Amino acid sequence: MPAKNPPHWDLTNVYPSLSSPKYATDFKKLQKLLEEQEAFLSEKVSQVNASSPEGVIGETASTLIDRFNEILILAGTLRSYLESFISTDSYNKEALKKLSEYELASVKTDKVFMQARAWIGRVADKLPAAIKLNANASAHAFFLKEAAEQSKYLMSEAKETLASELNLSGGNAWEKLQGTVTSQLSVDFELDGKVQKLPMPALINLRSHPDESVRRRAYEAENKAWETVKEPLAAAMNGIKGEVNTLNRHRGRKDAVHSAIDIARLDRETLETMLDAMKDSFPMFRRYFKAKATRFGTKKLPWWNIYAPTGETKTSFASDDTREFILEHFGGFSPDLKDFAQRAFEHNWIDAEQRDGKRGGAFCMDVPAVGESRIMCNFDGSLDQVSTLAHELGHGFHNDCMVKANKTELQKNTPMTLAETASIMCETIVTSAALKQVKSPQEELAILETQLIGDAQVIVDIYSRYLFETEVFKRREKSELNADELCEIMLDAQKATFGDGLDEKYLQKWMWTWKPHYYSAALSFYNFPYAFGLLFSTGLYAIYQQRGPAFVPDYKNLLASTGEGTAAELAARFGIDLRKKAFWQGSLKIIEERINRYCQIK
């Protein structure tokens, strides 16, 4: 059932319009700042080297930091403003043209950051002493140390500049193609007694429709639709993965995972420990899938029933219902969290309507100049989408904590691992609070189902995506992959993870087509941070249950600091050792308790 009057977001407090003088002025200002930063690096910074006094190095680093923070505020605001149009209306030619202009200018952004990292690497030996002599450098010590470490994987300045310029017609262009193709594809589908033209996000959302015949027909229609666009999407995948492999080789990276774990601020041992714990949990998830299959009168679960609701609760939330539901449960955790969500609802920070030209999925983006966030989702009134909205509001609250702590843009640079922690915590807050208020076993079942659908997606399906991407990178080193090969790899990955919990005749080989996560040259393996976020936030929520309200200030401080430490360092604040399998097993044990209760309810 459709949600009532889903909202559109409003960014007129940022710029009145794409053609406004204010936007044009800020775009010119960004170009000027970049030119000035480039001149400063070549004329001033280049004169400072490892033989320079520590005080001079510290002062130079401080000036660079201030200049970069100013650039990032302006660039981030312009980018988010443009994305607000393109993500919700891929037909908007004016926005697409201005994005192209912005991206051409942003090549210089990449260049000056690369030059700065290279310089920081050259003075790395003196950085510790230099940082101590300068308050601003000391406040940005993590950024400087991380930049020094990552400078080891830079190509020459000429090669890095060329790579940035070529990316506009390479990986970036392929990413745009995927977004355009998937957002503009639509299907004629009979729903509620009439044939409707549904955009793909709306069709995909029918996976949680209460009627199984609708879910199955949507699954079949989706498969037919992806068949018609498989070639351009396979070309996009090959273009992006080929570019990443080439650049990793030239930069001295061991593999694509190497750069991904550095971006995530994890070490390989932590990632492998977490993945091992996830793999060990597959039998319990397969028990859940089989229990769910029995509720539909089958031995195994076909793909179209993975996301199906069970139990009895509201099958549809109107916008007002969703607002009150989220505000009530957020308030039980923290008044600050509730106040943030209320601002998001009242000031139109959310774009929820499903419509042609709008991209699938959901995301949250910050708008630095105004200290706000904007949230996109494709709201269909289901409990699953209520959970998704809570998830994205969690990202926004995370940003709000950093804004209120007066963090600079460089201090706010958060890896996805910790960003997903905040969002999944908000999902957990909503569902856990709702479970305490259930009035019947069937209502409990409905909420548990929503929780376990998310848990299974983040642990089992995410692992399958990790296997898929690993294999794609491996094969792409030898040759291009056609669409049928990509489908084959996806099926193999799903069989290895879902196992006998699903009906192998009805898996989803086209999962690689519409997930934008695979189509980013800048961020490979977009998947495992979600698993980290779920398991880390589950562990944190267990601590919250023990400590109560006293936990919340420490949690907010953690969110405000996620750009200033590794995952292991920040986890240690709560006595958590991420390299110990016991932590991950403890979080999975909590999920197993949900599965046990799910299986008990008749």
Side-chain angles (χ1 to χ4, degrees):
M1 295 174 64
K4 179 183 176 183
N5 301 322
H8 290 201
W9 53 24
D10 179 13
L11 284 92
T12 54
N13 67 321
V14 182
Y15 299 110
S17 69
L18 284 165
S19 56
S20 68
K22 186 180 178 184
Y23 175 90
T25 298
D26 275 2
F27 183 63
K28 288 180 181 177
K29 182 180 178 182
L30 175 63
Q31 292 174 303
K32 183 181 178 183
L33 288 173
L34 288 169
E35 288 171 1
E36 290 174 349
Q37 185 76 319
E38 188 174 32
F40 179 69
L41 281 158
S42 62
E43 297 169 11
K44 302 290 186 181
V45 177
S46 62
Q47 304 303 311
V48 180
N49 53 48
S51 63
S52 300
E54 287 87 346
V56 173
I57 292 173
E59 183 62 32
T60 303
S62 176
T63 305
L64 266 179
I65 286 165
D66 287 342
R67 287 171 172 269
F68 274 128
N69 279 320
E70 187 177 8
I71 288 169
L72 288 172
I73 289 173
L74 199 52
T77 301
L78 289 165
R79 178 80 195 206
S80 292
Y81 186 71
L82 293 171
E83 283 295 337
S84 74
F85 290 93
I86 292 160
S87 61
T88 56
D89 180 14
S90 62
Y91 297 103
N92 190 317
K93 293 181 180 179
E94 183 181 10
L96 290 168
K97 182 178 180 180
K98 288 190 180 297
L99 178 63
S100 179
E101 292 170 349
Y102 170 88
E103 288 172 341
L104 282 168
S106 71
V107 170
K108 192 166 287 187
T109 308
D110 295 338
K111 180 179 179 179
V112 294
F113 266 100
M114 177 271 297
Q115 290 174 323
R117 282 195 297 272
W119 174 77
I120 292 168
R122 290 195 295 271
V123 299
D125 289 344
K126 283 195 172 179
L127 265 184
I131 287 170
K132 290 178 181 178
L133 295 174
N134 187 284
N136 192 33
S138 180
H140 292 82
F142 182 79
F143 160 73
L144 291 169
K145 291 174 183 176
E146 185 177 51
E149 178 65 27
Q150 293 305 307
S151 69
K152 299 175 184 177
Y153 305 108
L154 287 173
M155 299 182 290
S156 68
E157 182 176 331
K159 284 186 176 181
E160 288 289 354
T161 300
L162 180 61
S164 293
E165 292 175 354
L166 288 176
N167 179 61
L168 294 180
S169 54
N172 186 61
W174 289 120
E175 184 177 358
K176 284 183 181 178
L177 176 66
Q178 188 270 345
T180 300
V181 169
T182 56
S183 67
Q184 296 185 6
L185 183 63
S186 60
V187 172
D188 289 331
F189 189 84
E190 184 181 343
L191 187 64
D192 299 329
K194 60 180 181 180
V195 175
Q196 306 177 32
K197 184 173 286 294
L198 294 183
M200 291 307 288
L203 186 71
I204 291 167
N205 275 351
L206 291 177
R207 64 188 185 180
S208 59
H209 195 280
D211 187 334
E212 183 173 5
S213 66
V214 172
R215 294 195 299 273
R216 179 166 187 166
R217 287 191 298 107
Y219 165 82
E220 292 167 348
E222 182 187 343
N223 290 348
K224 290 180 181 177
W226 294 130
E227 184 77 41
T228 66
V229 293
K230 66 180 184 181
E231 297 305 335
L233 296 177
M237 181 77 77
N238 277 292
I240 287 168
K241 299 311 184 192
E243 177 179 319
V244 172
N245 276 339
T246 299
L247 290 174
N248 281 335
R249 188 166 60 252
H250 281 271
R251 287 172 174 154
R253 293 286 188 181
K254 181 179 178 181
D255 51 26
V257 175
H258 185 184
S259 58
I261 58 176
D262 280 359
I263 291 170
R265 294 181 187 149
L266 294 180
D267 55 73
R268 202 174 287 259
E269 180 185 355
T270 297
L271 175 61
E272 291 175 354
T273 301
M274 181 185 76
L275 290 173
D276 284 345
M278 290 166 62
K279 188 175 181 179
D280 291 345
S281 74
F282 292 166
M284 79 179 190
F285 279 103
R286 291 168 187 170
R287 183 159 55 89
Y288 156 65
F289 293 135
K290 290 176 182 178
K292 185 167 185 174
T294 62
R295 297 184 188 280
F296 293 100
T298 59
K299 290 184 178 180
K300 294 183 179 180
L301 207 60
W303 191 269
W304 63 79
N305 278 342
I306 292 178
Y307 306 99
T310 61
E312 295 177 5
T313 187
K314 291 183 178 181
T315 56
S316 180
F317 286 79
S319 296
D320 290 344
D321 296 333
T322 299
R323 172 177 170 158
E324 295 310 312
F325 184 81
I326 288 175
L327 290 178
E328 176 188 355
H329 297 316
F330 276 10
F333 178 80
S334 163
D336 290 341
L337 178 58
K338 179 181 178 179
D339 288 346
F340 165 76
Q342 192 140 9
R343 273 185 284 140
F345 285 119
E346 289 179 355
H347 295 286
N348 298 319
W349 291 1
I350 301 166
D351 193 294
E353 185 189 36
Q354 303 176 92
R355 56 188 183 273
D356 184 31
K358 184 175 178 179
R359 294 190 180 182
F363 66 81
C364 175
M365 62 185 183
D366 72 312
V367 190
V370 291
E372 298 173 356
S373 297
R374 291 297 186 273
I375 291 163
M376 190 208 82
C377 60
N378 284 274
F379 190 74
D380 63 358
S382 66
L383 189 58
D384 177 63
Q385 281 296 307
V386 174
S387 180
T388 296
L389 181 53
H391 177 108
E392 301 306 334
L393 284 166
H395 284 304
F397 180 65
H398 187 175
N399 180 50
D400 196 57
C401 287
M402 291 189 283
V403 170
K404 287 182 176 176
N406 295 314
K407 299 296 183 181
T408 67
E409 292 305 295
L410 289 173
Q411 291 170 334
K412 288 162 62 178
N413 182 25
T414 295
M416 273 190 57
T417 39
L418 296 167
E420 293 307 321
T421 296
S423 56
I424 295 174
M425 174 69 89
C426 280
E427 285 188 63
T428 305
I429 289 167
V430 166
T431 51
S432 297
L435 279 169
K436 293 178 181 178
Q437 299 178 8
V438 296
K439 298 178 180 178
S440 70
Q442 288 302 302
E443 188 177 356
E444 180 185 9
L445 177 63
I447 297 170
L448 272 175
E449 187 73 82
T450 299
Q451 254 189 326
L452 290 173
I453 286 171
D455 293 340
Q457 184 176 20
V458 171
I459 301 300
V460 186
D461 190 40
I462 286 291
Y463 198 106
S464 77
R465 296 183 213 173
Y466 179 83
L467 293 177
F468 169 82
E469 200 162 0
T470 300
E471 184 65 16
V472 169
F473 271 119
K474 181 180 176 181
R475 294 199 199 182
R476 185 64 185 86
E477 289 178 351
K478 299 177 181 178
S479 68
E480 291 188 352
L481 294 85
N482 60 47
D484 291 339
E485 287 178 282
L486 292 169
C487 288
E488 171 201 328
I489 296 169
M490 182 58 77
L491 287 176
D492 287 344
Q494 289 172 354
K495 290 173 184 176
T497 50
F498 289 93
D500 62 359
L502 297 190
D503 188 335
E504 65 178 30
K505 297 191 301 294
Y506 302 108
L507 299 176
Q508 183 43 284
K509 66 181 182 179
W510 298 109
M511 200 70 158
W512 60 271
T513 56
W514 67 277
K515 281 291 181 185
H517 303 165
Y518 300 124
Y519 297 87
S520 170
L523 190 57
S524 303
F525 290 98
Y526 199 94
N527 40 60
F528 67 77
Y530 286 93
F532 180 100
L534 171 64
L535 297 177
F536 186 50
S537 65
T538 299
L540 287 178
Y541 191 78
I543 296 172
Y544 161 66
Q545 289 179 306
Q546 295 168 1
R547 293 179 55 190
F551 167 85
V552 177
D554 290 340
Y555 175 66
K556 288 168 60 182
N557 286 335
L558 170 73
L559 297 186
S561 306
T562 51
E564 300 173 278
T566 66
E569 290 167 347
L570 295 171
R573 293 185 181 185
F574 295 89
I576 295 169
D577 187 344
L578 298 178
R579 296 183 183 89
K580 296 290 178 63
K581 199 172 183 178
F583 168 72
W584 307 107
Q585 290 172 328
S587 293
L588 287 161
K589 186 71 176 176
I590 293 171
I591 296 173
E592 185 175 23
E593 290 169 4
R594 297 172 191 161
I595 291 173
N596 291 341
R597 178 57 186 153
Y598 176 91
C599 294
Q600 290 170 0
I601 299 174
K602 303 299 182 183

